[in-house]
Amino acid sequence: MSTISNLVVFAILLFCSTGALAQTQTDLGRLRESFTHPPDGSRIMMRWWWFGPAVTKPEIQRELEQMKAAGIGGVEIATLYPLALDNPETGFRNLPYLSDPYIEALHFAAGEAHRLGLRLDITLGSGWPFGGPQIPITRSAGEMRVERVAIPRGAKSIPLPNITSGEKLLAAFWVANLPDAGDFQNAKPISGIAMENTRLEVPPDAAAAPAAIFFISSRTGMTVKRPALGAEGFVLDHYDERAIQTHLHTVGDRLMQAFGDHPPYAIFSDSLEDNESDWTPDLLQEFSHRREYDLTPHLLALIGDAGPDSGAIRHDWGKTLTELANDNYLRPLQQWATQHHTFLRSQTYGTPPVTLSSNRYVDLPEGEGKATLQMWRQFSDTRWAASAGHLFGKPVISSEIWTWLHSPAFRATPLDMKAEADLHFLQGINQLVGHGWPYSPENAGDPGWRMYAAGAFNAHNPWSFAMPDLAAYLQRVSFALRQGQPANDVALLLPNDDAWANFTVSVPPQKGSNTREEGGSIDESMPKLLGPQVIPQILDVGFNLDFIDADAIDALGISYPVLILPAVERLPVATYKKIEQYALRGGIVLATRHLPSSAPGFLNAAPETEEIRQISQRLFGGKQASGHFLQDESQLGSVLAALTKPDVVFSPRTPEIGFIHRRLSFGDLYFIANTSNRARTVHANFRQHGNYAESWDPFTGQISRLKNASDVELPFQPYESRLIFFTNADERLPPWSPPQTDSGTSIDLSLRWKVTFNASKQAIHMSRLHSWSDEEKFKYYSGEVTYEKTFELPVPGPGSRAVLDFGEGMPVPIPDPLPTFNMRAYLESPVREAADVYVNGQHVGVVWHPPYSIDVKSFLKPGQNDLRIVVGNTAINQLAGQSLPDYRLLNDRYGQRFVPQGMDHLQSLPSGIVSGLCLRLTP
């Protein structure tokens, strides 16, 4: 090639690389700007409970405007039970669900939300699960009713079970053992039962049998939980498409009339809590069609040991239930949403036994926090939803949050809310739906209405002035975690086939207590099947993970560097072949405890099981094996870290610190959070890093340059979090400076304050700062309190910093063992619970999280300075000092639709600035 040609090629390459760099810098500049000022679409949402429904247009407008001002980006309207009786003297009334006045109120709310730029979703029904008066018994949730009738010694006949509306006798058997023994291998079928008779003759060859067992296609009788006035009725059959179509035409079409040309952003299907729904009238026909054999002679396998094929038969029954829920509930629901120009947002877990891959029928998958500190280190429905979003290309993944946070209602603080939100972010969630915002009329007073068992995060919280600051933090992180693509290294296979094989039908007298294996749902089976060690080991050696299941592998393949099979016993042959090919192409496959050893299902089990064993031998046995088998599961973490380089290694190892990684075309973004109540400092070594590392502050939106792009020192306050971004694009940024640890000069501000209780306009002089609830007169005061003080400031030196310091938080001992619902921030603040700071009449900012300090330098002046601090506590003090509502007459009128939880034995809490306050002047 000539010199001129070489120069031309060089010039072209230089032009292309320069252009690419310029484009990268432009894209990165836009990203930084959007992080500082994130779009409204990444704001948090709130579940807005309409109780009754007893709503008015003025209150709807007021509360929507309050949410807008609080930094909330949208609502999901959930219509629930009444909280007050109609009163013609005051004009108060509950509007029947779907009535013209209710639809008019919904139309007004939709218009106001549109005017304010708020997203509006609607739960496609009242209460949960879907159902109501439009669902007849013949379309209601189905179950298999199993009746056992003992045969008295010498009896010639026994009574037949009573069959009522919506039921049908399917089969019966003479059994040699009682059902409690669980052994039915010698049972004999009963034929020729005439249901017009009331008794069944006992033939001589069955006289020795102690009982007969009858299988009846029946109904759970479950009714909608917490319904609004006029929404009472049976829960629909999630396996029968006619049931959801009835619901959509009666409820869905009627609700859409409220929206006109502006449909809701999404319709919402709440968590599937269709308790004990394990049957539908068409199941035998559907089973025969899908599984290609008749289930009827094998029904005893659903309640006990009917021979060596019992697990295979239960598997086929469970899988059929899953397919019916997908085909007859989720699919038509999504189709209806599309036809009405909206999205389907769904909590797709629970009963019926939907799987991870059932989320392919969902536009917006949603998880739900279980209110436990360790949710991010265990199996959770939150990671389930996030994994589904990552697998099926759903970029926005939401989660119901704060459901059981620091119960009871109004007890949770802004720090509690942040602490739980970070656990959701660490699992891949990037849209939060708060649970929730109680609609509360002005005449309900403070703190007003609340749901029976949930957080309450409306403007009736005395600390609500801190909500915009908290919401801005959550908005920035949500925005950041929508950028690029998820970069989790590990796919953890969920053993759906093993879960199905463990399903059973409950039998009286156990009916009503849960005798199914883990409740007969896939997600509830997983903690036991996965075990307690796998997920923590993956996280602790520096990886993050998604769940995957066999259906996803069959449909999408495996795109992760690592696949883990956690004690999987049953696996479809086709799936296992794909896993083998993945390993041969260089994918890392690890199996723990034992290898897959059988094919699922009843038909063709023997030849397919042999093939499964052959694949296990090829994949994990011998010197040529490409997989890695760990009989001792405790070695998983160390072996995994030896096989591939971890994404992030924290030194010292700190299990309380987690991360999630997003990969962009021009860099790598990490969200890192300290989930503990104590300060931690770690060195973080990142596998993916560029020439430059940046610290992105999710509280302020400020971006600064870190000194070292490979080994980054990260000091964390309790429950602190941050984002680290790596890029090769150079740009002048201010250097990141860690918080100052030296005290410098300190001015004590803890003495001589004027304290005014804003609601009552009463003022006291506090000689030394302490909890206002220590004052008997204000023991039960909940609200805002204003602290005022004047102090002298010497002339500060050049470049000095001035920080108003409330002191450190006090760690609260974490209970051992933890209670069922244990989610909260185990840290007591020196300011209970939020402080709004003003210096010389200028607003400085809000203090509600560690470090409990704020820079006030630019607001100070030499000489005399005026300091004003507005503090808001929780509403618990007021609730502790008053009688609880008496719902006797309400229950007499509507039936007991709820029981308030956690509201007894309330105690007044410390409130206000409870420790010393100082002004720190540092160089």
Side-chain angles (χ1 to χ4, degrees):
M1 186 178 289
S2 67
T3 302
I4 293 177
S5 298
N6 286 332
L7 289 173
V8 170
V9 171
F10 176 76
I12 291 173
L13 292 174
L14 179 62
F15 175 80
C16 291
S17 62
T18 302
L21 178 61
Q23 182 63 47
T24 295
Q25 290 177 327
T26 299
D27 293 342
L28 182 53
R30 291 172 179 166
L31 176 62
R32 290 191 182 111
E33 176 62 25
S34 295
F35 176 74
T36 302
H37 305 288
D40 289 348
S42 55
R43 293 181 185 271
I44 66 170
M45 294 178 60
M46 280 289 180
R47 180 169 295 175
W48 191 16
W49 293 302
W50 284 15
F51 297 103
V55 293
T56 64
K57 292 179 180 179
E59 183 63 26
I60 288 172
Q61 177 180 342
R62 187 171 77 99
E63 295 194 13
L64 285 172
E65 289 174 348
Q66 287 175 339
M67 285 186 249
K68 176 75 172 182
I72 295 165
V75 297
E76 167 215 310
I77 296 177
T79 309
L80 300 181
Y81 51 83
L83 275 176
L85 292 165
D86 290 1
N87 188 337
E89 294 183 1
T90 63
F92 178 90
R93 66 181 181 131
N94 294 286
L95 311 176
Y97 186 64
L98 300 183
S99 65
D100 287 345
Y102 172 78
I103 295 299
E104 183 181 349
L106 189 59
H107 175 74
F108 178 79
E112 285 298 290
H114 184 73
R115 175 181 69 84
L116 294 168
L118 297 175
R119 168 179 161 179
L120 191 145
D121 293 2
I122 182 75
T123 303
L124 210 67
S126 171
W128 68 93
F130 288 169
Q134 74 281 358
I135 300 298
I137 187 63
T138 53
R139 296 286 179 267
S140 66
E143 72 169 355
M144 172 66 82
R145 179 161 72 95
V146 180
E147 292 291 339
R148 57 181 176 182
V149 179
I151 303 176
R153 184 179 300 273
K156 302 299 183 182
S157 66
I158 57 174
L160 288 170
N162 181 53
I163 304 296
T164 188
S165 298
E167 293 186 322
K168 179 182 179 181
L169 177 67
L170 301 176
F173 300 85
W174 304 114
V175 295
N177 292 306
L178 290 174
D180 288 343
D183 182 0
F184 305 116
Q185 297 191 49
N186 297 315
K188 296 180 180 179
I190 304 174
S191 59
I193 300 177
M195 289 310 299
E196 60 270 17
N197 299 327
T198 59
R199 297 187 67 82
L200 175 66
E201 182 179 342
V202 179
D205 61 346
I213 293 184
F214 299 86
F215 289 86
I216 302 163
S217 174
S218 185
R219 307 291 170 170
T220 67
M222 182 181 180
T223 56
V224 175
K225 296 181 181 179
R226 326 301 175 201
L229 176 64
E232 308 86 350
F234 288 119
V235 169
L236 60 79
D237 185 347
H238 289 80
Y239 308 118
D240 183 350
E241 184 174 357
R242 294 167 297 183
I244 186 60
Q245 293 294 357
T246 297
H247 183 82
L248 291 173
H249 293 317
T250 305
V251 177
D253 290 351
R254 175 63 168 154
L255 288 173
M256 288 301 105
Q257 293 176 12
F259 294 93
D261 295 332
H262 298 284
Y265 184 89
I267 59 168
F268 178 56
S269 171
D270 208 340
S271 56
L272 301 175
E273 300 176 19
D274 195 350
N275 299 344
E276 298 191 351
S277 182
D278 53 22
W279 201 261
T280 189
D282 295 336
L283 194 137
L284 287 177
Q285 297 93 310
E286 290 287 350
F287 187 97
S288 179
H289 172 69
R290 295 167 188 264
R291 306 282 85 85
E292 299 183 345
Y293 69 95
D294 184 11
L295 179 60
T296 307
H298 305 286
L299 286 172
L300 285 167
L302 307 188
I303 63 173
D305 183 5
D309 296 319
S310 295
I313 293 165
R314 287 195 295 267
H315 166 277
D316 290 347
W317 162 61
K319 184 175 183 179
T320 301
L321 291 176
T322 297
E323 292 175 355
L324 290 175
N326 289 341
D327 294 343
N328 295 340
Y329 177 71
L330 288 173
R331 191 196 301 270
L333 189 56
Q334 186 188 45
Q335 291 173 344
W336 186 91
T338 302
Q339 292 166 1
H340 288 79
H341 309 290
T342 184
F343 295 113
L344 170 60
R345 194 177 108 241
S346 175
Q347 294 181 355
T348 310
Y349 41 84
T351 305
V354 288
T355 65
L356 178 74
S357 285
S358 297
N359 282 280
R360 65 188 181 273
Y361 302 107
V362 171
D363 301 307
L364 302 170
E366 180 162 298
E368 178 179 0
K370 295 301 184 185
T372 62
L373 293 173
Q374 297 297 314
M375 74 168 84
W376 68 289
R377 296 174 58 80
Q378 304 167 340
F379 177 86
S380 73
D381 295 329
T382 305
R383 191 180 295 276
W384 167 289
S387 302
H390 295 164
L391 285 165
F392 295 105
K394 315 291 185 181
V396 178
I397 309 159
S398 58
S399 186
E400 175 189 311
I401 191 171
W402 307 318
T403 307
W404 296 97
L405 179 64
H406 209 163
S407 188
F410 292 109
R411 176 63 184 88
T413 70
L415 183 61
D416 290 326
M417 297 170 73
K418 179 195 183 296
E420 183 177 350
D422 287 348
L423 304 189
H424 291 243
F425 291 144
L426 289 174
Q427 297 174 84
I429 296 301
N430 53 26
Q431 173 68 69
L432 300 177
V433 182
H435 190 284
W437 182 291
Y439 174 100
S440 187
E442 283 193 278
N443 61 10
D446 282 324
W449 288 355
R450 59 263 187 191
M451 195 187 180
Y452 75 101
F457 303 104
N458 59 13
H460 289 270
N461 284 284
W463 52 257
S464 63
F465 57 79
M467 182 63 90
D469 198 59
L470 168 64
Y473 164 82
L474 301 173
Q475 180 185 6
R476 287 194 183 94
V477 178
S478 297
F479 167 77
L481 295 183
R482 298 181 188 182
Q483 307 310 303
Q485 298 296 323
N488 292 342
D489 290 300
V490 177
L492 181 63
L493 182 65
L494 300 181
N496 293 349
D497 295 283
D498 290 339
W500 284 321
N502 287 322
F503 285 3
T504 59
V505 171
S506 53
V507 182
Q510 292 85 6
K511 196 76 171 182
S513 63
N514 202 350
T515 61
R516 291 185 181 85
E517 184 73 17
E518 296 296 336
S521 71
I522 296 291
D523 63 309
E524 291 178 5
S525 300
M526 286 305 150
K528 182 176 181 179
L529 291 171
L530 297 178
Q533 297 189 65
V534 173
I535 294 175
Q537 287 194 74
I538 296 169
L539 298 174
D540 289 347
V541 295
F543 299 94
N544 210 328
L545 71 141
D546 281 333
F547 301 137
I548 196 169
D549 63 13
D551 286 343
I553 291 176
D554 292 344
L556 306 171
I558 308 167
S559 60
Y560 298 80
V562 180
L563 174 68
I564 296 177
L565 313 183
V568 175
E569 179 181 346
R570 299 167 184 84
L571 202 57
V573 170
T575 305
Y576 211 7
K577 286 181 176 179
K578 287 180 180 290
I579 292 172
E580 184 181 24
Q581 291 301 311
Y582 162 79
L584 292 173
R585 293 192 303 269
I588 298 172
V589 180
L590 297 101
T592 68
R593 286 181 273 170
H594 57 74
L595 296 175
S597 59
S598 63
F602 178 56
L603 293 185
N604 303 316
E608 291 187 357
T609 291
E610 180 57 30
E611 195 167 358
I612 289 290
R613 291 170 179 166
Q614 291 175 4
I615 297 173
S616 287
Q617 179 61 31
R618 292 195 302 266
L619 188 54
F620 297 102
K623 295 182 179 180
Q624 302 300 318
S626 53
H628 307 269
F629 173 53
L630 304 173
Q631 191 168 12
D632 181 2
E633 197 171 66
S634 65
Q635 299 177 12
L636 174 62
S638 59
V639 171
L640 177 59
L643 290 171
T644 184
K645 187 176 182 180
D647 197 355
V648 184
V649 175
F650 297 118
S651 301
R653 181 175 290 185
T654 310
E656 300 88 351
I657 295 180
F659 76 93
I660 192 163
H661 175 193
R662 302 285 297 187
R663 183 172 293 118
L664 286 69
S665 61
F666 46 82
D668 289 88
L669 185 63
Y670 291 84
F671 172 76
I672 307 173
N674 176 15
T675 67
S676 78
N677 61 353
R678 297 185 183 276
R680 309 286 188 192
T681 297
V682 295
H683 285 264
N685 186 278
F686 296 85
R687 182 183 64 209
Q688 304 289 340
H689 58 78
N691 295 330
Y692 306 99
E694 302 172 2
S695 175
W696 293 17
D697 187 341
F699 281 109
T700 65
Q702 294 178 349
I703 298 175
S704 52
R705 174 68 52 79
L706 294 169
K707 292 181 180 179
N708 193 332
S710 58
D711 184 10
V712 181
E713 183 181 43
L714 297 174
F716 286 98
Q717 290 286 327
Y719 300 110
E720 187 179 7
S721 53
R722 66 186 61 181
L723 292 129
I724 305 296
F725 183 70
F726 294 97
T727 179
N728 289 324
D730 188 12
E731 184 169 333
R732 293 184 179 276
L733 293 171
W736 179 75
S737 57
Q740 298 287 335
T741 56
D742 55 304
S743 58
T745 303
S746 179
I747 300 176
D748 184 12
L749 298 176
S750 61
L751 305 177
R752 296 182 295 278
W753 286 82
K754 179 185 177 183
V755 179
T756 303
F757 294 82
N758 296 5
S760 62
K761 307 300 183 183
Q762 294 177 284
I764 63 172
H765 291 278
M766 195 174 283
S767 59
R768 178 176 291 275
L769 291 172
H770 60 271
S771 169
W772 77 59
S773 61
D774 291 342
E775 304 280 342
E776 184 61 32
K777 187 175 182 180
F778 301 105
K779 181 177 182 178
Y780 298 110
Y781 179 87
S782 290
E784 294 183 0
V785 171
T786 300
Y787 293 72
E788 295 173 289
K789 178 182 180 61
T790 299
F791 66 95
E792 293 290 327
L793 178 69
V795 178
S800 64
R801 298 176 70 244
V803 174
L804 188 65
D805 189 352
F806 290 82
E808 295 184 354
M810 179 67 68
V812 176
I814 297 175
D816 185 16
L818 284 167
T820 301
F821 301 113
N822 54 65
M823 188 64 230
R824 57 163 291 190
Y826 285 83
L827 188 76
E828 298 295 10
S829 167
V831 54
R832 305 287 299 272
E833 300 298 333
D836 206 7
V837 178
Y838 297 80
V839 174
N840 294 319
Q842 299 181 72
H843 185 242
V844 180
V846 183
V847 176
W848 56 269
H849 62 85
Y852 295 103
S853 59
I854 190 166
D855 193 334
V856 295
K857 178 178 182 290
S858 59
F859 301 90
L860 295 173
K861 60 184 180 181
Q864 182 173 294
N865 287 266
D866 296 324
L867 179 59
R868 177 164 58 95
I869 304 173
V870 179
V871 178
N873 63 343
T874 73
I876 291 296
N877 290 18
Q878 182 175 352
L879 289 170
Q882 64 187 30
S883 299
L884 295 177
D886 181 358
Y887 295 118
R888 178 179 59 85
L889 296 178
L890 185 75
N891 294 338
D892 288 343
R893 171 63 179 85
Y894 298 116
Q896 190 171 40
R897 304 192 183 198
F898 65 96
V899 177
Q901 297 184 13
M903 300 304 294
D904 49 348
H905 310 301
L906 293 179
Q907 300 292 323
S908 176
L909 299 172
S911 301
I913 307 173
V914 297
S915 63
L917 181 69
C918 71
L919 183 67
R920 288 193 292 108
L921 305 173
T922 59

